Amino acid sequence: MFESSKKALQHSFFREFVVRHRHRDVNPLDIFIASYPKSGNTWLRSLLATAICGEKPKRNEIGRLIPYIGYQSESEFKLPSGGRLIKTHEPHRREYRKAIYIVRDWREVCVSYYYFERRHARCDEKFASFLKKFQEGKVDGFGKWTDHVNSWLKENQNNQKILFVKYEYLVENTRQVLNDALKFVGVTPCLDLGDVIKEHSREKMVKDEDSSMAKNSSIPFVRSKYAGQNLEEFFLKSKGERVDEEFMRLNQYLNYS
């Protein structure tokens, strides 16, 4: 027991060291596109990149326009303010002075994450086992969904420098959310927003999907609008696994039924 705790501590310390290193040259003028994984970050990032450059950029070009945290020195795009747009999945940090935060129903996140891990051959377990791991915050290094969202909600209460976006609203009102996001970062689009959205329709995203990194390409990266169109089916099958009340309370607070 002592050994496992020691290893967990070492892992936690190492990760914090890596995360600090990734944030070493963050500029106070940088603006972040943040979310827990599988919450719509990649989609909004792609929409913004297309609106910024006036055409749909290739996958490797998106990283130069809106890099992932740790690669910001490679950014080739500067905001009018002089900062950069940077993608992150970290909980809120003091370096994040201005950000767009995307939140999604945790059940949708969990189901989407389950398929993502299976697609990359990092998960061969039943959904019930994955659900337990997800609720404990042990799928990756980003911790529990509840802790992550709460860290941003706490900061968002009296902060005009955080734009809070619900994934479901992004799906249903893409043009409005994209317009709000562009105004928030201070960028005038180089392409009509209707054309930007057409370039990122589900049909086009499925067609353009890159399966080269997937170990199991039969499981698509782009699934349905909502990963959990059969949520009830998933969670009924997992009835042996208790759903953490903390997750349900936060879902209710966010007005998810």
Side-chain angles (χ1 to χ4, degrees), residues 85-101:
L85 279 176
I86 302 170
K87 172 179 176 174
T88 182
H89 283 312
E90 296 294 333
H92 187 269
R93 299 174 61 88
R94 60 183 177 82
E95 293 95 337
Y96 299 160
R97 292 173 173 82
K98 189 170 184 177
I100 299 170
Y101 185 73

Side-chain angles (χ1 to χ4, degrees), residues 10-20 22 89-91 140-142:
Q10 289 173 338
H11 175 74
S12 176
F13 176 80
F14 177 72
R15 186 178 190 284
E16 181 55 32
F17 173 81
V18 171
V19 171
R20 284 203 308 269
R22 288 174 179 165
H89 283 312
E90 296 294 333
D140 50 41
F142 302 110

Side-chain angles (χ1 to χ4, degrees), residues 51-180:
I52 286 166
C53 69
E55 61 181 6
K56 187 175 182 178
K58 295 178 181 177
R59 187 177 293 266
N60 62 326
E61 293 172 339
I62 293 178
R64 293 197 291 270
L65 288 167
I66 309 175
Y68 192 78
I69 186 66
Y71 296 91
Q72 55 269 20
S73 62
E74 300 174 11
S75 176
E76 296 177 1
F77 171 71
K78 286 288 189 293
L79 293 163
S81 63
R84 299 161 293 192
L85 279 176
I86 302 170
K87 172 179 176 174
T88 182
H89 283 312
E90 296 294 333
H92 187 269
R93 299 174 61 88
R94 60 183 177 82
E95 293 95 337
Y96 299 160
R97 292 173 173 82
K98 189 170 184 177
I100 299 170
Y101 185 73
I102 312 160
V103 67
R104 186 181 189 184
D105 184 327
W106 77 265
R107 297 164 297 182
E108 302 280 357
V109 174
C110 185
V111 173
S112 182
Y113 219 156
Y114 175 63
Y115 279 112
F116 180 81
E117 292 295 288
R118 285 184 58 197
R119 173 180 165 82
H120 291 277
R122 293 194 290 258
C123 171
D124 59 0
E125 59 197 330
K126 298 290 185 181
F127 180 72
S129 299
F130 181 84
L131 173 60
K132 183 176 186 295
K133 188 186 297 183
F134 178 85
Q135 290 184 117
E136 293 172 349
K138 294 179 178 178
V139 176
D140 50 41
F142 302 110
K144 291 173 65 174
W145 176 85
T146 47
D147 293 340
H148 196 286
V149 175
N150 278 323
S151 75
W152 285 92
L153 279 174
K154 181 181 177 181
E155 194 64 27
N156 181 57
Q157 287 177 350
N158 298 302
N159 192 339
Q160 298 299 313
K161 292 191 174 182
I162 295 179
L163 178 63
F164 211 77
V165 175
K166 292 179 80 170
Y167 170 80
E168 295 74 15
Y169 192 73
L170 172 61
V171 170
E172 299 298 337
N173 300 278
T174 310
R175 189 185 189 102
Q176 182 63 56
V177 173
L178 180 56
N179 187 55
D180 290 346

Side-chain angles (χ1 to χ4, degrees), residues 20-73:
R20 284 203 308 269
H21 182 72
R22 288 174 179 165
H23 290 76
R24 66 194 180 283
D25 65 342
V26 166
N27 186 315
L29 298 173
D30 291 335
I31 301 178
F32 294 84
I33 305 172
S35 73
Y36 195 78
K38 311 312 298 173
S39 300
N41 197 316
T42 297
W43 186 28
L44 182 56
R45 179 194 189 204
S46 299
L47 286 165
L48 285 169
T50 300
I52 286 166
C53 69
E55 61 181 6
K56 187 175 182 178
K58 295 178 181 177
R59 187 177 293 266
N60 62 326
E61 293 172 339
I62 293 178
R64 293 197 291 270
L65 288 167
I66 309 175
Y68 192 78
I69 186 66
Y71 296 91
Q72 55 269 20
S73 62

Side-chain angles (χ1 to χ4, degrees), residues 193-225:
L193 296 191
D195 293 331
V196 172
I197 294 165
K198 285 178 185 175
E199 284 297 323
H200 294 278
S201 66
R202 183 177 179 275
E203 291 72 20
K204 281 203 171 187
M205 290 174 72
V206 169
K207 184 178 179 181
D208 297 342
E209 188 171 278
D210 179 11
S211 299
S212 61
M213 299 296 289
K215 299 283 183 68
N216 185 355
S217 57
S218 65
I219 300 174
F221 178 79
V222 180
R223 299 181 63 243
S224 60
K225 272 187 180 180

